[in-house]
Amino acid sequence: DFLLAVWQRLPQRLIPFMGINPNDSQVNVLAELERMYAAGVRCIKLINAYQDNYPGDGPNLMALYAYAAAHRMLILNHSWSEAEIRSIAAQFPETDFIFGHYGGGFQDRILATFPNVYANIWSYGPMGWLERGFARVGAARFLLGSDGFLNCLSVGIGPVVFAEMPDADKRLVLGLTMARLLEKADALPD
């Protein structure tokens, strides 16, 4: 409710992402989705790994994905396992999913396989880690990340700005791809 009040005061500056507790009843999860959607929220942030490690493909989240698919909502999750996101992305191809922290490995395989899965690049990595990811799956699959409330924003921007890649690709990562996803979910401010 606090988030809604702040967003309603600054709708051109903020884009709200709602959260749910997947351990609640499915009735309550769906009721909260409905309440937030009716208020204008079009994006979801999951962090089920920190909520008693609720499985990313558990029944309450599967109901959430179905609701999101029916309402064109965007979903960001702190993490999914490879098996979970493979199943979810295939079952809901019209829904866009974002990994909260890019780390390469199996995420590259998922990004290369599913056009509806993207990666938020907030992570620490060795020199060239981001360029290797771009080379494997293309810059358009990556979104700027910062964990800005915990870390200096430059930690998220720096690896993109100083990457060995064309400026057009940097623009995709720094905002154009996210703007496209938000527009698709009807969450992009005017």
Side-chain angles (χ1 to χ4, degrees):
D1 291 333
F2 175 76
L3 169 67
L4 288 176
V6 172
W7 172 56
Q8 288 165 351
R9 284 190 2 213
L10 302 163
Q12 297 303 313
R13 298 193 56 137
L14 300 173
I15 300 167
F17 279 65
M18 65 161 293
I20 57 97
N21 181 349
N23 294 295
D24 202 345
S25 71
Q26 193 169 109
V27 168
N28 287 347
V29 168
L30 293 173
E32 184 65 0
L33 279 164
E34 189 63 42
R35 183 175 85 92
M36 290 290 110
Y37 188 84
V41 177
R42 301 296 183 259
C43 305
I44 302 166
K45 168 63 163 84
L46 300 174
I47 194 158
N48 54 292
Y50 292 104
Q51 293 169 310
D52 293 331
N53 207 26
Y54 189 90
D57 58 356
N60 289 349
L61 289 183
M62 294 306 288
L64 177 141
Y65 304 141
Y67 184 95
H71 294 84
R72 292 186 2 238
M73 296 177 83
L74 179 62
I75 300 173
L76 165 66
N77 192 350
H78 181 75
S79 64
W80 285 286
S81 72
E82 182 172 6
E84 288 169 346
I85 192 61
R86 278 189 181 282
S87 172
I88 295 161
Q91 190 169 345
F92 301 101
E94 67 283 359
T95 302
D96 293 314
F97 298 95
I98 304 169
F99 280 109
H101 300 273
Y102 174 69
F106 85 84
Q107 291 177 344
D108 285 344
R109 293 189 297 274
I110 297 297
L111 294 170
T113 303
F114 296 97
N116 60 325
V117 180
Y118 298 83
N120 171 298
I121 60 162
W122 173 248
S123 187
Y124 288 110
M127 292 295 292
W129 68 277
L130 199 51
E131 288 94 334
R132 285 189 290 278
F134 295 157
R136 288 182 194 119
V137 298
R141 306 311 299 283
F142 295 89
L143 310 165
L144 174 66
S146 71
D147 264 2
F149 69 96
L150 293 174
N151 301 286
C152 179
L153 192 58
S154 63
V155 175
I157 293 174
V160 180
V161 172
F162 294 106
E164 298 283 333
M165 59 192 280
D167 283 350
D169 286 346
K170 291 178 184 182
R171 287 184 182 97
L172 290 172
V173 177
L174 292 173
L176 293 179
T177 297
M178 187 63 176
R180 181 178 57 75
L181 296 177
L182 291 169
E183 179 71 25
K184 182 177 171 186
D186 196 25
L188 188 66
D190 294 335

